[in-house]
Amino acid sequence: MADALTLRVITPEKIVIDTTASAVTFPALDGGMGVLPRHAPMVAALDAGQLAFEAGGERQEMFISGGFAEVRDNTVRVVTEASEPASDIDVERAASAAKRARERLGAGKNQADGEPFDFLRAEAALRRALMRKLVADRSRRG
Ligand code: ATP
């Protein structure tokens, strides 16, 4: 079908989604991107955030943790470390992950010596947690 897209979201664990969509949006590092059928080929690096698509007249939303998107031949392939549909997001788990990451960032900042502190890792964990909460909130509010 020339006027539809195939959307595949793949993590190291599984194919999270393999479906047909009429439009897809995702969080590219340089801003939100929308893809319609017949889009020019491209590759984009992704931020953690919301991927949304229209399928059968319905909008569906998912969390993706970053990675890459490739658009080619009416197919959007997203390769990401972690992804789940908005409805599967455990908001309490995300809140605990955000709290842990904030504590780590606070402790790391005040640390004079000892173990080297992985600031980027803690910051990325905080961003994933906050984005999961945002994606879940948005989709619950409709
Ligand atoms: P946590 O510390 O809670 O595990 P994390 O950011 O380290 O969070 P990820 O590495 O992004 O977790 O994901 C690991 C796996 O757990 C993935 O399969 C992901 O889909 C799932 N996952 C992580 N957080 C949540 C959540 N809040 N709700 C649902 N699934 C989640």
Side-chain angles (χ1 to χ4, degrees):
M1 244 197 304
D3 284 326
L5 295 162
T6 298
L7 170 66
R8 282 197 193 102
V9 178
I10 302 153
T11 71
E13 282 172 7
K14 60 179 176 181
I15 298 170
V16 182
I17 196 146
D18 184 352
T19 192
T20 301
S22 53
V24 179
T25 61
F26 50 75
L29 275 186
D30 49 3
M33 269 220 56
V35 174
L36 294 170
R38 301 173 206 236
H39 196 287
M42 57 147 247
V43 172
L46 304 177
D47 204 349
Q50 177 184 269
L51 178 145
F53 61 96
E54 303 271 344
E58 275 195 30
R59 180 181 157 90
Q60 299 195 39
E61 287 151 357
M62 319 188 36
F63 167 81
I64 56 169
S65 70
F68 287 90
E70 180 196 48
V71 180
R72 187 159 50 93
D73 298 335
N74 279 332
T75 297
V76 181
R77 271 185 210 89
V78 172
V79 180
T80 184
E81 268 300 308
S83 170
E84 61 276 341
S87 55
D88 286 0
I89 294 174
D90 177 340
V91 177
E92 279 178 21
R93 176 172 167 182
S96 310
K99 183 164 178 275
R100 268 197 318 277
R102 281 205 175 94
E103 284 165 2
R104 262 186 241 123
L105 285 165
K109 227 179 357 196
N110 300 325
Q111 185 175 294
D113 48 26
E115 286 286 296
F117 174 61
D118 193 340
F119 177 83
L120 290 179
R121 182 173 167 189
E123 194 186 42
L126 178 58
R127 189 158 175 75
R128 285 197 300 280
L130 295 179
M131 285 298 152
R132 280 189 165 109
K133 288 207 287 175
L134 191 81
V135 171
D137 281 355
R138 273 192 193 154
S139 108
R140 272 151 220 187
R141 265 189 267 122

